[in-house]
Every structure is written in C-alpha cells, then in structure tokens.
Amino acid sequence: MPEIIKAYRQSLPPLRFVGKRYGDEDRVNGGFGHKWGEWFEKGWFAQLEQGYDLKSTYEDGDAYLGLMRWKEGEPFQYWIGVFLPAGAPAPGGYGALDFPAQDIGVAWVYGKEAELYGKEEECAARCEQEGMRIIADEQGAFWFFERYVCPRFTEPDSQGNVILDICHQVAREAGS
C-alpha cells in the first residue's frame, strides 16, 4: 500500500517545459505508460537534454516529468518532457510551455511502482495539511506533475519500493 512519506515546499526559477502533449484519447488501460516507452525507445529525452546540465537548473531538475493540466469542462492534457532553462528553444516536433518563478508542493509517494500513480488528490491534500495552498493559473487550470527523480524512483529499496514525486503549484510564500 503506497504512503505519502514527505511533503515540502520547493521554489522554482522561471522554466520552460519542453515535451509532447497527449490527451485522454492517448490512454491505454487508463494510463500513458506506453507513451513513456516510446520516449525511451526513440531517445527523445536524450535529444532534449543535449547541451544542458539540467541538474544545475534547480534541485531535482534532471528528472523526467509527466506534466498534467486539468480544468473543469476542458480536455485533460498530459505532457511528457523536461524543464529546461527559461527561453530554451524547443526542437522541432516538441511543444513548449513557459512557467514563471513559482512554488510547488512536493509529495513523496512511497511504495511499489505500479501502485504509485493516480495519487494527485491525496498529495494535494497532504500539501494543504502542511500549510500550502494549491492554486490554479490565470485561466483557472490546475497544473501538477509526476517527477521521476533518480535514484529514488529508479532504484528500489530492499522491500522493492520506490518514491514518486507528485508536485502541485502552490501559492508563493512572502519573500519567494
């Protein structure tokens, strides 16, 4: 049974998300795992990482992301990609989204990989319990993402468990 073992606030600099967008029509068995397989097979992450030291962008900046956008009455968006420095060009075939400096609430979900997904609401609730307020963007959409940090996601512990970060945009603290 997965559990949220940690929740904290993290401040991010202005960033450009570069990746590919998918929607509900792209789901197989309810998820986007097959799209992740395509990314690894085709070397798309390596293409985006060329020329960048993503680890220096922000703490855990070298993680791959499953970025989601949800707004009542609008199609769900699921993007796969990475955060690059603000203003970084997007190679042909990729989309780009610009994010201003922001705070995120980070929740670590610990357990067997197959059980970690779909915990966004629980993670939002935990962030709120920790005093953070989940916010929407100017259009009323909520942005949140799965962050696959190495090695905590890629190297199971002695019980076969890993940690998936689930992050939500939260209101900035004074002075952030």
Side-chain angles (χ1 to χ4, degrees):
M1 184 74 158
E3 64 178 309
I4 299 170
I5 60 169
K6 182 176 182 178
Y8 60 96
R9 176 185 300 274
Q10 183 178 16
S11 293
L12 303 182
L15 295 166
R16 172 168 277 178
F17 178 88
V18 177
K20 294 180 183 272
R21 182 177 72 181
Y22 305 99
D24 286 329
E25 67 278 3
D26 297 303
R27 292 180 189 267
V28 172
N29 297 323
F32 298 94
H34 68 292
K35 291 295 183 186
W36 282 87
E38 184 178 19
W39 272 73
F40 289 112
E41 288 169 22
K42 296 188 176 181
W44 290 340
F45 286 114
Q47 183 180 9
L48 293 180
E49 293 171 309
Q50 278 183 334
Y52 296 101
D53 175 14
L54 298 181
K55 200 166 198 67
S56 70
T57 308
Y58 74 96
E59 185 179 355
D60 296 326
D62 58 339
Y64 300 151
L65 306 173
L67 176 68
M68 293 167 264
R69 180 188 185 274
W70 180 86
K71 181 179 179 185
E72 184 74 40
E74 292 187 7
F76 175 77
Q77 295 179 22
Y78 185 85
W79 293 74
I80 298 175
V82 296
F83 278 136
L84 295 177
Y94 296 89
L97 300 165
D98 291 319
F99 289 93
Q102 63 180 309
D103 283 3
I104 58 173
V106 180
W108 285 12
V109 185
Y110 172 80
K112 304 289 187 247
E113 180 186 347
E115 301 173 347
L116 301 180
Y117 303 105
K119 306 295 184 218
E120 290 80 17
E121 287 185 34
E122 293 94 327
C123 291
R126 175 65 183 270
C127 287
E128 289 178 341
Q129 288 171 0
E130 299 291 330
M132 295 173 261
R133 184 172 52 86
I134 307 298
I135 59 169
D137 68 10
E138 313 78 47
Q139 288 81 40
F142 290 90
W143 292 89
F144 43 97
F145 56 93
E146 303 157 334
R147 184 168 65 182
Y148 298 90
V149 178
C150 300
R152 65 179 173 257
F153 181 79
T154 56
E155 295 179 14
D157 65 14
S158 60
Q159 289 83 42
N161 294 322
V162 295
I163 296 171
L164 174 65
D165 296 14
I166 296 181
C167 308
H168 289 268
Q169 287 184 328
V170 298
R172 298 203 81 186
E173 288 187 319
S176 291

